[in-house]
Amino acid sequence: MTNRRSFLTGAALIGAGMVSRAGAAGLPEAPLQPAAATAVPPPPPTGRPFNPVVTLNGWSLPWRMKDNVKEFHLVAEPVVREIAPGMFANLWGYNGQTPGPTIEVVEGDRVRIFVTNKLPENTSVHWHGQILPNGMDGVSGVTQPAIPPGKTFVYEFVAKHAGTFMYHPHADEMAQMAMGMMGFWVTHPKDPALHAVDRDFVFLLSAYDIEPGSYTPKINTMLDFNLWTFNSRAFPAIDPMVVRKGDRVRIRAGNLTMTNHPIHLHGHTFEVTGTDGGWVKPAARWPEVTTDIAVGQMRAIEFIADNPGDWAFHCHKSHHTMNAMGHDVPTMIGVDHRGVAEKINKLVPGYMVMGEKGGSMGGMQMPIPENTLPMMTGTGQYGEIEMGGMFTLLKVRENQARGDYSDPGWYKHPQGSVAREWTGELPPPSTAPNVPVTKAAAPLSVKRNAPHRH
């Protein structure tokens, strides 16, 4: 993590500008985080104790205590997000990144959040899910004047109840949300032992429509996105969730895309323990392996990581695990286009036919436009993974130290426990017993006696 001055005077200039010392006088620091790696937060240095969350490919926003109030400073500004290595997007966010940093407070905390607008247009911040005074709800034109460019507004309220929340604008919402303006908010319970888990991960679901060769999202897209991300990162650039065998694990996700996402975990069952409204009572929970997160919703799931391995964790909408896909490509399965390919190769040497036997592209190497991700990327210990986008791995290990989130590498499977090719004899095809032989059906004859009417 770095401060705004050292970051903006460095080589990597991200953001529209800095809050001047005069302009920032009396305000808490608005730190930046230029790196996209997961930053494990330290225990809270001031205020009441809590068990911090781990923001996947993100970080938590530091605060200062002033007159027993927890003060934060968000700066809304243009940012450059590396969606995956080699592909960058011109987006809008907070404090150097999108999503913005996670805000963590304790139930009953009075919070004061300064919001400085460095965007080229008005903005506001809605504290999604908070029960607060109406004038702090962040709907520009309804509960407050919009924050003009260059101005700083302050929000102040008490975080009344523990749970999982988000923040985002309610000003030019279509443009600002489509450009990546969002962040996570966690209110911890007063008693750190209440709802305690060993590992607590958070991330936001987001989507973008960025044409190959371009850098800025098409903000008018409603559903036909081509980049589906966790915290604005696409697999294989999404960090794994590393846990120790036996850990109680919580994963919290919020959905600020334009569609629902059935999030699926392999190798474990879980319970939904938290929703938009707070914690689900134990008697109301049931086991799941997939939970659907609708637009604008938040979910917290919990499970015991009792099954070692590298387990897939992903959205179950197959297009959402693709990366930079095109939607107007015809299906070519079964089409013999060798002759056409030969003719095209005379004009375009190196032309490759796609999809003749299916859409698998794992073994293909072909040039792609500038600033574009290949579809379905990612390589595992056994070859091409052929999944991307909203996909990562839950890595469960026997000897992972408490608090250690470093990637342990690929799982070493016990001998004889990996699916393998069968080289023995196959059993003869079976038939269902006692199936009566039926006569061929007679051709259907239809007589039209009267004009057809609906």
Side-chain angles (χ1 to χ4, degrees):
M1 198 176 300
T2 187
N3 62 44
R4 183 162 296 271
R5 174 167 291 277
S6 64
F7 177 73
L8 291 172
T9 54
L13 181 62
I14 299 176
M18 61 183 296
V19 180
S20 69
R21 284 185 177 276
L27 298 182
E29 178 63 61
L32 290 157
Q33 178 62 281
T38 300
V40 179
T46 58
R48 290 182 290 182
F50 62 82
N51 299 316
V53 299
V54 174
T55 305
L56 207 58
N57 292 103
W59 55 300
S60 291
L61 184 63
W63 67 86
R64 74 177 183 189
M65 296 299 297
K66 185 176 183 181
D67 301 329
N68 210 30
V69 177
K70 192 172 279 186
E71 290 188 337
F72 299 88
H73 190 177
L74 288 174
V75 178
E77 58 190 349
V79 301
V80 175
R81 180 64 160 174
E82 188 182 42
I83 302 288
M87 192 215 166
F88 297 86
N90 296 329
L91 302 173
W92 291 354
Y94 301 93
N95 297 48
Q97 280 200 5
T98 175
T102 298
I103 293 176
E104 294 188 78
V105 301
V106 178
E107 185 181 15
D109 275 352
R110 174 167 285 278
V111 297
R112 185 177 296 132
I113 306 145
F114 298 91
V115 178
T116 298
N117 183 9
K118 292 295 179 183
L119 298 173
E121 65 174 18
N122 293 346
T123 190
S124 68
V125 181
H126 167 58
W127 313 100
H128 189 118
Q130 301 284 345
I131 305 302
L132 37 57
N134 186 232
M136 295 293 160
D137 199 39
V139 183
S140 60
V142 176
T143 63
Q144 66 165 88
I147 308 173
K151 299 295 184 182
T152 298
F153 277 36
V154 59
Y155 297 84
E156 184 168 341
F157 53 90
V158 174
K160 289 187 174 179
H161 58 289
T164 303
F165 309 103
M166 304 182 283
Y167 63 87
H168 60 79
H170 267 313
D172 192 11
E173 184 170 327
M174 185 187 77
Q176 295 187 14
M177 299 274 280
M179 290 293 285
M181 297 199 68
M182 58 190 72
F184 218 96
W185 177 302
V186 174
T187 300
H188 296 276
K190 288 179 182 177
D191 180 0
L194 192 64
H195 309 302
V197 293
D198 298 294
R199 313 237 177 182
D200 197 340
F201 298 94
V202 307
F203 62 89
L204 287 169
L205 304 164
S206 52
Y208 302 99
D209 183 13
I210 302 177
E211 288 191 346
S214 66
Y215 290 78
T216 302
K218 295 162 66 176
I219 61 172
N220 293 326
T221 296
M222 288 189 67
L223 292 173
D224 218 6
F225 298 92
N226 60 9
L227 290 167
W228 301 92
T229 66
F230 292 168
N231 274 354
S232 297
R233 295 277 284 184
F235 185 79
I238 302 173
D239 285 342
M241 292 180 285
V242 179
V243 307
R244 181 174 59 171
K245 183 185 175 186
D247 277 350
R248 184 169 186 84
V249 180
R250 179 183 296 132
I251 301 173
R252 313 183 198 222
N255 181 7
L256 289 175
T257 71
M258 301 278 272
T259 186
N260 66 310
H261 297 282
I263 298 297
H264 177 50
L265 172 64
H266 294 206
H268 297 77
T269 60
F270 59 76
E271 293 178 338
V272 176
T273 56
T275 69
D276 308 60
W279 298 107
V280 179
K281 295 180 180 178
R285 302 172 185 173
W286 63 83
E288 294 270 20
V289 295
T290 303
T291 186
D292 198 30
I293 308 178
V295 179
Q297 284 188 331
M298 296 152 282
R299 289 287 181 268
I301 66 171
E302 291 181 24
F303 59 95
I304 301 297
D306 55 2
N307 198 359
D310 294 336
W311 299 106
F313 178 86
H314 60 96
C315 177
H316 219 292
K317 288 188 173 178
S318 55
H319 282 204
H320 296 183
T321 54
M322 291 287 287
N323 275 343
M325 59 180 296
H327 297 92
D328 299 324
V329 180
T331 300
M332 300 298 287
I333 293 176
V335 176
D336 184 353
H337 36 41
R338 287 172 292 183
V340 175
E342 289 176 3
K343 293 179 181 178
I344 295 178
N345 259 300
K346 293 178 182 177
L347 300 172
V348 186
Y351 169 79
M352 295 179 66
V353 174
M354 293 175 57
E356 182 181 3
K357 299 176 181 176
S360 179
M361 301 177 64
M364 294 184 181
Q365 299 294 328
M366 68 180 76
I368 58 177
E370 176 193 354
N371 202 48
T372 304
L373 294 178
M375 293 167 62
M376 305 183 294
T377 55
T379 304
Q381 60 178 322
Y382 297 111
E384 304 296 337
I385 296 175
E386 298 194 335
M387 294 180 82
M390 288 178 165
F391 178 93
T392 188
L393 293 168
L394 172 75
K395 296 196 171 188
V396 183
R397 295 292 186 276
E398 291 269 5
N399 300 316
Q400 195 78 11
R402 184 180 296 278
D404 181 7
Y405 291 85
S406 60
D407 189 344
W410 295 108
Y411 180 64
K412 294 180 175 55
H413 297 91
Q415 188 173 8
S417 67
V418 177
R420 63 195 185 281
E421 180 184 3
W422 174 256
T423 57
E425 291 188 7
L426 296 176
S430 60
T431 57
N434 304 322
V435 176
V437 178
T438 57
K439 296 181 179 178
L444 181 64
S445 177
V446 178
K447 293 183 179 180
R448 180 175 296 173
N449 298 323
H452 183 72
R453 294 177 180 174
H454 289 284

